[in-house]
Amino acid sequence: MNRYLPVARQHFLAALASTSVVVKTISAVVVLLYLLSWAVDTSYALGVTPGYLFPPNFWVWTLVTHGLVEQHVWGVAANVGTVMACGRLLEPLWGALELLIFFAVVNVTAGLLAGLSYLLTYVATFHLDFLFAVHIYGVAGFLGGVLVALKQTMGDSTVLRVPQVRLKAAPALVLLFLALLRLSGLLDSCAPLAAYSYGALSGWVYLRFYQRHSRGRGDMSDHFAFASFFPEAVQPAVGLLAGLVHAALVKIKVCRKMVKRYDVGAPSSITISLPGTDPQDAERRRQLALKALNERLKRVEDQSAWPSMDDEEEDDDEVRTDTQPLLSDGRDTLSSTPRTSGGPTGASLSSPSSASHSSGTASSGGVQHPESSIITFEDASSRS
């Protein structure tokens, strides 16, 4: 174990050195607040407490700081690892400023919605623990948003090979994992589960409708629809429900109807507005087709292997055995044929005549078969 610690430390420092100032700053603040938690209850002062978030207390700064607070070492590792993963995978695509905006939007929205949910739960149950005994903090909310962003950018990447798990299924699997931890009693409250759920939802809404990029705003591709986060069996029903909710939000001016623009590259700069096409979706489908073609070609090359040298030698031996001259068989037949009652003298006397007769026949008539030599031998012995 001690051998791998210097190597892991070296890789961690190299990865941290290659990140931007935004990632380094967030990671440093997380570590400092963890060290501060040994002396001060940071989860109370900097975490979201539903009873203090809303008036008359109105602790609004906790909406910004709750995602940086951790109470355990594994929480610090998960928080810093998530931020560094964003720096390696998302920041080259978005930029440092867009990553900071995404971090702020997801954390603020997740803390606000989670606190509002606990407030509504108190209204329904009149239990004060839902207002003052619950503290929402940690990386859970930002982790949900990051997994949604990774699904958008590289959803077809394989996370596990056995069993095969793709990155697009990671948001649902992590949600199921947190729910199992809560049911088993390993989680003290539902705060991490609520923060993760609202973080994933807020991240999807921001990336779907509001994020600005070179092609306009949002991502209306089919692979990033809300129904794609659910199993295929329930996707039609979820898609129908999500369409109704979106239509209602468009009518009350919360969301605006997205029209995707597809530039055909004409010399006259004609731009066609189509409601069902997206260049990003088309590029993703092209990459999938190329990947499938490469895998198929690789399987064909593996199957068409050259035969080994041993197989060629065995084939040569079989050919040599099958192409033995028939004349040798005839000689063996002559040697194995039993002699007649004439005795060895008759056989020896008749052999020269038979040999001369067979040689004459071979010279005059061409190829002589073994059966003809046998008949000549018997005729010579009977004449003697």
Side-chain angles (χ1 to χ4, degrees), residues 148-158 166-169 208 215 219-225 228-229 232 235 262 277-293:
V148 170
L150 293 178
K151 177 186 183 301
Q152 179 196 26
T153 56
M154 51 184 66
D156 294 314
S157 301
T158 302
R166 297 189 182 275
L167 192 56
K168 62 183 179 182
R208 181 74 169 177
R215 298 180 305 275
D219 180 11
M220 298 298 293
S221 57
D222 295 335
H223 81 281
F224 197 54
S228 63
F229 290 88
E232 295 182 358
Q235 283 185 5
Y262 188 80
T277 58
D278 192 350
Q280 185 176 1
D281 196 17
E283 178 66 20
R284 174 179 169 274
R285 294 179 186 275
R286 189 179 69 85
Q287 293 294 337
L288 288 177
L290 289 176
K291 183 178 179 181
L293 180 60

Side-chain angles (χ1 to χ4, degrees), residues 26-37:
I26 295 175
S27 302
V29 171
V30 170
V31 175
L32 289 177
L33 290 180
Y34 169 69
L35 297 177
L36 185 62
S37 66

Side-chain angles (χ1 to χ4, degrees), residues 6-82:
V7 178
R9 179 176 176 273
Q10 183 179 0
H11 285 288
F12 174 77
L13 294 177
L16 185 62
S18 62
T19 57
S20 65
V21 179
V22 174
V23 175
K24 294 177 182 177
T25 303
I26 295 175
S27 302
V29 171
V30 170
V31 175
L32 289 177
L33 290 180
Y34 169 69
L35 297 177
L36 185 62
S37 66
W38 295 353
V40 181
D41 188 5
T42 55
S43 62
Y44 173 78
L46 300 178
V48 174
T49 304
Y52 297 133
L53 178 61
F54 302 101
N57 298 293
F58 214 66
W59 289 9
V60 292
W61 67 86
T62 58
L63 295 176
V64 180
T65 59
H66 76 93
L68 303 172
V69 176
E70 295 292 346
Q71 296 290 315
H72 305 284
V73 176
W74 56 84
V76 175
N79 204 327
V80 174
T82 303

Side-chain angles (χ1 to χ4, degrees), residues 82-308:
T82 303
V83 175
M84 291 184 61
C86 291
R88 296 294 298 272
L89 300 176
L90 298 178
E91 189 178 8
L93 302 176
W94 295 351
L97 180 59
E98 180 62 31
L99 179 61
L100 182 60
I101 293 174
F102 182 75
F103 178 82
V105 168
V106 170
N107 279 310
V108 170
T109 308
L112 181 62
L113 293 178
L116 183 61
S117 298
Y118 276 102
L119 179 62
L120 295 178
T121 305
Y122 164 75
V123 172
T125 60
F126 292 100
H127 203 296
L128 287 177
D129 289 343
F130 291 112
L131 288 182
F132 301 104
V134 175
H135 304 291
I136 303 169
Y137 63 92
V139 72
F142 186 59
L143 177 61
V146 169
L147 291 179
V148 170
L150 293 178
K151 177 186 183 301
Q152 179 196 26
T153 56
M154 51 184 66
D156 294 314
S157 301
T158 302
V159 180
L160 296 177
R161 296 189 179 275
V162 180
Q164 188 175 12
V165 177
R166 297 189 182 275
L167 192 56
K168 62 183 179 182
L173 292 179
V174 174
L175 179 63
L176 179 62
F177 177 71
L178 291 177
L180 293 177
L181 290 180
R182 176 55 183 162
L183 292 176
S184 62
L186 297 178
L187 288 180
D188 297 334
S189 66
C190 295
L193 182 61
Y196 176 83
S197 303
Y198 289 121
L201 180 61
S202 60
W204 176 81
V205 171
Y206 174 75
L207 296 175
R208 181 74 169 177
F209 300 104
Y210 298 105
Q211 186 187 37
R212 292 183 179 273
H213 44 74
S214 59
R215 298 180 305 275
R217 179 182 291 183
D219 180 11
M220 298 298 293
S221 57
D222 295 335
H223 81 281
F224 197 54
F226 185 74
S228 63
F229 290 88
F230 294 85
E232 295 182 358
V234 298
Q235 283 185 5
V238 175
L240 179 60
L241 181 61
L244 296 176
V245 173
H246 178 255
L249 293 177
V250 169
K251 288 184 178 181
I252 62 176
K253 306 300 181 179
V254 175
C255 295
R256 62 188 184 92
K257 188 175 182 181
M258 298 295 295
V259 178
K260 298 170 216 126
R261 304 177 67 84
Y262 188 80
D263 190 3
V264 296
S268 59
S269 301
I270 299 175
T271 302
I272 300 175
S273 297
L274 298 176
T277 58
D278 192 350
Q280 185 176 1
D281 196 17
E283 178 66 20
R284 174 179 169 274
R285 294 179 186 275
R286 189 179 69 85
Q287 293 294 337
L288 288 177
L290 289 176
K291 183 178 179 181
L293 180 60
N294 292 331
E295 292 179 353
R296 186 175 300 176
L297 290 176
K298 186 177 180 180
R299 287 197 300 266
V300 172
E301 290 177 358
D302 295 339
Q303 292 177 359
S304 59
W306 289 93
S308 61

